[in-house]
């Protein structure tokens, strides 16, 4: 096999695997979301808020590659559901931070109720290994 053919095969294998991982990730999110009325982006935003503490609309729009208007609309729906709240900073009242509420935290943790702790640890370990490999590739 020539070098070009090897590279072509490697690219094909990479694309195939990336597509499979993306599909399985989507299936996993759908599985944890079976009893929930939130969409995937709303769930991922709640995850991000739980992990970071707070984000502003610009942060959200950049992370989700959406317009600030779409990010604001997504936040409106989550705020109406009592899952997030908007907090203005004392230093600059124009700056609004989005934070997860206690109810929002309860809702996202409830998503994982159907899994045993050992399953969650296995998922986390596997995803951590994938993340480390991706860091090696993109660094």
């Amino acid at each position: 096999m020539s070098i070009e053919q090897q590279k072509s095969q490697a690219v094909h294998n990479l694309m195939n695997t990336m597509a499979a991982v993306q599909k399985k990730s989507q299936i996993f999110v759908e599985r944890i979301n079976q009893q929930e009325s939130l969409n995937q982006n709303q769930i991922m935003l709640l995850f991000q808020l739980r992990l970071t503490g707070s984000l502003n609309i610009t942060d959200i729009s950049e992370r989700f590659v959406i317009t600030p208007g779409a990010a604001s609309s997504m936040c409106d729906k989550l705020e109406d559901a009592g899952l997030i709240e908007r907090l203005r900073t004392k230093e600059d009242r124009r700056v609004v931070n989005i934070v997860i509420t206690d109810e929002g935290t309860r809702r996202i943790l409830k998503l994982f109720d159907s899994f045993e702790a050992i399953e969650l640890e296995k998922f986390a370990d596997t995803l951590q290994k994938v993340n480390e490999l991706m860091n090696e590739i993109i660094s």
Side-chain angles (χ1 to χ4, degrees):
M1 186 181 295
S2 72
I3 292 176
E4 280 187 34
Q5 290 172 323
Q6 287 176 341
K7 185 171 182 179
S8 178
Q9 184 62 47
V11 168
H12 175 80
N13 291 342
L14 177 63
M15 291 187 306
N16 192 37
T17 303
M18 286 175 67
V21 168
Q22 182 181 21
K23 180 66 177 166
K24 286 180 178 72
S25 178
Q26 183 179 5
I27 290 168
F28 179 74
V29 171
E30 288 170 0
R31 179 177 169 195
I32 65 173
N33 196 30
Q34 285 177 340
Q35 306 300 319
E36 192 57 67
S37 60
L38 302 174
N39 67 39
Q40 187 170 351
N41 276 349
Q42 290 168 328
I43 290 170
M44 294 310 296
L45 176 56
L46 292 175
F47 287 178
Q48 289 292 315
L49 291 171
R50 170 87 168 147
L51 293 170
T52 62
S54 72
L55 296 168
N56 62 41
I57 293 295
T58 302
D59 295 332
I60 294 167
S61 65
E62 288 173 358
R63 286 175 189 241
F64 288 87
V65 193
I66 57 176
T67 66
S72 203
S73 177
M74 182 167 50
C75 289
D76 289 343
K77 292 174 185 168
L78 292 171
E79 186 175 35
D80 290 345
L83 304 177
I84 65 163
E85 63 182 325
R86 289 175 164 96
L87 300 176
R88 294 195 181 276
T89 63
K90 291 180 181 177
E91 298 80 27
D92 185 346
R93 302 274 304 149
R94 296 171 294 177
V95 176
V96 178
N97 289 318
I98 310 299
V99 297
I100 191 168
T101 63
D102 290 341
E103 177 59 23
T105 297
R106 277 191 290 280
R107 288 271 288 271
I108 60 169
L109 293 177
K110 189 174 188 301
L111 295 173
F112 298 96
D113 280 353
S114 66
F115 298 96
E116 297 294 326
I118 193 77
E119 286 179 292
L120 295 172
E121 289 172 10
K122 186 176 178 181
F123 291 149
D125 288 346
T126 301
L127 291 173
Q128 180 63 36
K129 289 174 187 168
V130 170
N131 188 44
E132 289 169 4
L133 289 171
M134 294 301 290
N135 281 340
E136 288 177 21
I137 292 167
I138 60 174
S139 294

